[in-house]
């Protein structure tokens, strides 16, 4: 297995999906050990730092990549298995940003009211205990929360030569902010451009479903990713697989359309896994699916539709690739 380490310089970070030259070419089967900057570009390092003063909105959600995968052609399926995610700093930052978030008026949901207070929270990482510490800004409350690293953004270049902001989730992946994109998960993305041109970033040390205020515990991340390529079979929308679940992610507005996209994609996947007629797959999904909200704050909202494998007969997606990647990742971690 070829193992490549890559840490971008600040001027090598990208802020879009599509429109950027690849940083390198890699072969399927490669393991990447990557570093990514936090969503704020490390602009918030103390509670005295305010997003309105420190954060440049032209340079948020920096991405590491894109990577050109040799042999990847439109219509293929890119499989990215997340082997390991480890915080790259001893602190993470979160903030309420004026007129941004799920529980405030925004430029799209406009009201005659003042913005919520521009406020920053710093969470300190306790690696020994695997926790991040919340400290109230308007009182004395504090609590240690479990460290649950995830990647907010994983995506490929969009179709049609489009260039999309790294703040946007869509059918190419992007800023889905799904807590399920964590170590042990395989992400399946449809390839739209030669080489796929995938990037990752937006590390979160933890995040609740919905990312209510618009920011998680944002932090720089060390990521180990196994890259594989499946010829053909491109899913219409991102799919995720863990040892226990199959999942599809829909991203749109209004949120019910995100839910619909995820449901339809799971109906299609059930047809592939079990040879079911669409109507039977629809009925079965109705009785078994779970649909947590990934984010309710981005340019599009993301909903993850899940099916627990334990409820169904054994089936192998993409020829059992996830199980194979899990075995390879175990070998990688033991080295």
């Amino acid at each position: 297995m070829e193992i490549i380490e890559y840490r971008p310089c600040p001027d090598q970070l990208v802020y879009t999906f599509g429109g950027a030259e690849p940083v390198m070419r890699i072969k399927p089967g490669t393991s990447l050990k990557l570093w990514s900057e936090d969503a704020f570009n490390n602009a918030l390092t103390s509670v005295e730092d305010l997003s309105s003063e420190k954060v440049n909105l032209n340079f948020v959600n920096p991405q590491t990549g894109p990577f050109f995968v040799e042999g990847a052609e439109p219509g293929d399926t890119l499989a990215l298995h997340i082997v390991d995610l480890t915080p790259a700093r001893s602190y993470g930052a979160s903030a309420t940003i004026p007129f941004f978030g799920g529980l405030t008026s925004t430029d799209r949901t406009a009201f005659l009211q003042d913005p919520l207070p521009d406020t920053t929270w710093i969470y300190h990482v306790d690696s020994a205990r695997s926790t991040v510490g919340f400290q109230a800004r308007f009182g004395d409350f504090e609590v240690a929360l479990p460290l649950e690293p995830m990647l907010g953004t994983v995506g490929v270049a969009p179709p049609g030569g489009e260039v999309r902001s790294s703040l946007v989730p869509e059918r190419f992946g992007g800023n889905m902010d799904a807590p399920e994109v964590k170590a042990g998960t395989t992400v399946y993305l449809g390839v739209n451009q030669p080489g796929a041109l995938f990037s990752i970033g937006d590390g979160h040390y933890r995040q609740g479903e919905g990312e209510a205020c618009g920011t998680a515990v944002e932090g720089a991340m060390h990521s180990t990713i196994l890259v594989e390529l499946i010829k053909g079979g491109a899913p219409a929308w991102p799919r995720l697989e863990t040892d226990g679940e199959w999942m599809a992610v829909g991203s749109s507005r209004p949120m019910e359309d995100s839910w619909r996209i995820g449901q339809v994609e799971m109906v299609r996947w059930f047809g592939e896994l079990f040879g079911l007629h669409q109507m039977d797959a629809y009925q079965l999904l109705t009785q078994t699916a779970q649909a947590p909200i990934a984010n309710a704050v981005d340019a599009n909202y993301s909903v993850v539709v899940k099916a627990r494998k334990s409820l169904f007969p054994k089936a192998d997606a993409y020829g059992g690739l996830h199980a194979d990647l899990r075995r390879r990742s175990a070998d990688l971690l033991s080295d």
Side-chain angles (χ1 to χ4, degrees), residues 232-250:
W237 290 83
R239 293 177 177 179
L240 313 176
E241 184 176 2
T242 64
D243 293 348
E245 293 173 313
W246 297 295
M247 295 169 266
V249 186

Side-chain angles (χ1 to χ4, degrees), residues 18-41:
E21 291 297 315
V23 296
M24 68 177 67
R25 298 172 71 99
I26 63 170
K27 297 177 181 179
T30 298
S31 172
L32 294 174
K33 293 190 174 184
L34 306 175
W35 180 92
S36 58
E37 183 56 277
D38 73 56
F40 301 119
N41 247 326

Side-chain angles (χ1 to χ4, degrees), residues 92-160:
S94 191
T96 50
I97 300 170
F99 296 117
F100 176 70
L103 300 180
T104 182
S105 60
T106 70
D107 60 340
R108 300 188 189 200
T109 307
F111 293 99
L112 290 173
Q113 66 180 51
D114 294 331
L116 294 176
D118 189 353
T119 311
T120 298
W121 289 261
I122 298 296
Y123 290 73
H124 295 283
V125 175
D126 186 330
S127 297
R129 293 183 171 85
S130 294
T131 61
V132 288
F134 168 81
Q135 293 180 305
R137 291 297 316 281
F138 303 97
D140 298 326
F141 182 83
E142 58 183 62
V143 62
L145 300 171
L147 190 65
E148 296 181 358
M150 54 166 281
L151 291 175
T153 52
V154 178
V156 296

